Amino acid sequence: MPPELDLICDGCRRPIADDDGYLWVDTAEVRRTEEAVRAWEEERTDGADGSLAFSEGGDIFGYPEKVRWQAHHARCDPAPGEGAYDIPAAKIRSWEQLLEWTAHLMEKSWLSHTDWDDFLRGVHRGRGRLVVASQAGTPNP
């Protein structure tokens, strides 16, 4: 069965073959973001009722940014061997696999600190930065 989805390399912008790359997120950066979110919330938590309180002037804009998922061929990876949570290209070739990975990742406490939601919206709308519908799986008219 031909692949339904192609993983696209952030480095060279070419499709990644099954055994040649992965989708990944930097786990150290995720930990730093988790700590930054915790600190941001502690600074703004009202001691009386535990709710978040904002001062005038847009405190919300200081909220830490989500960590970006990336895709690379092994040869294009800017930080090979670094601490990463990765998904081999061969394991994210179909909509079913993408759904399985999403369910699996939803069990991770750190997922909300990543841009997985934006990643999925891009794939769904056909404007994915990292995963696109495969041309190999598209029938000729």
Side-chain angles (χ1 to χ4, degrees):
M1 179 172 188
E4 296 171 354
L5 302 171
D6 283 329
L7 196 57
I8 305 298
C9 180
D10 269 326
C12 69
R13 303 303 309 151
R14 292 195 172 105
I16 301 171
D18 282 355
D19 58 351
D20 196 24
Y22 32 80
L23 180 66
W24 66 279
V25 68
D26 183 324
T27 54
E29 193 174 338
V30 170
R31 280 192 300 280
R32 284 190 296 273
T33 299
E34 283 178 310
E35 291 168 8
V37 165
R38 203 169 10 264
W40 187 91
E41 289 175 349
E42 284 175 7
E43 288 175 10
R44 289 157 183 83
T45 299
D46 182 348
D49 66 3
S51 65
L52 287 175
F54 300 100
S55 64
E56 289 185 41
D59 265 1
I60 193 76
F61 296 110
Y63 194 81
E65 288 190 35
K66 293 180 175 187
V67 180
R68 240 175 58 133
W69 281 85
Q70 301 179 58
H72 285 98
H73 291 101
R75 69 182 176 278
C76 296
D77 190 340
E82 293 295 317
Y85 187 96
D86 60 55
I87 302 170
K91 294 189 176 190
I92 195 159
R93 290 289 187 216
S94 69
W95 291 105
E96 182 179 355
Q97 288 174 319
L98 180 60
L99 187 59
E100 280 293 325
W101 276 108
T102 299
H104 174 75
L105 290 170
M106 288 174 66
E107 297 170 349
K108 309 295 183 193
S109 62
W110 49 263
L111 182 64
S112 65
H113 300 293
T114 75
D115 71 345
W116 188 259
D117 55 341
D118 294 329
F119 162 77
L120 287 178
R121 282 185 193 99
V123 174
H124 168 72
R125 293 181 180 143
R127 295 187 302 262
R129 174 178 61 84
L130 302 176
V131 175
V132 297
S134 176
Q135 296 303 311
T138 305
N140 291 329

